[in-house]
Amino acid sequence: MINYEDLLKELKTTKLVVASKKRPKEQILYYYIKGQRMFGENRAEELLQKVDLPADIE
């Protein structure tokens, strides 16, 4: 498994979108605390279940 911090160092100017599909809110918050703000959802129902996440998540 790729280390999140190492991956960010390699990307430099590229934006990373973390796939949050079928991931619990706690796992999303883990990456949020590490600085991740862009998450991807492809189902509106799943996104609506996670509405109490921080407002600055994209």
Side-chain angles (χ1 to χ4, degrees):
M1 186 161 139
I2 296 174
N3 181 296
Y4 177 75
E5 286 84 6
D6 292 342
L7 180 60
L8 287 180
K9 288 175 191 172
E10 288 183 33
L11 292 176
K12 296 181 182 156
T13 60
T14 304
K15 291 186 177 184
L16 176 66
V17 177
V18 173
S20 55
K21 179 180 179 185
K22 297 187 180 187
R23 299 290 177 207
K25 183 173 40 178
E26 296 77 21
Q27 195 170 29
I28 295 168
L29 288 173
Y30 170 83
Y31 288 103
Y32 177 86
I33 290 167
K34 291 187 170 285
Q36 182 66 32
R37 294 298 183 267
M38 296 180 75
F39 295 87
E41 284 284 349
N42 67 344
R43 296 190 183 270
E45 308 86 45
E46 290 183 27
L47 179 61
L48 291 174
Q49 294 172 1
K50 300 171 186 171
V51 293
D52 58 337
L53 290 169
D56 62 337
I57 286 181
E58 298 177 36

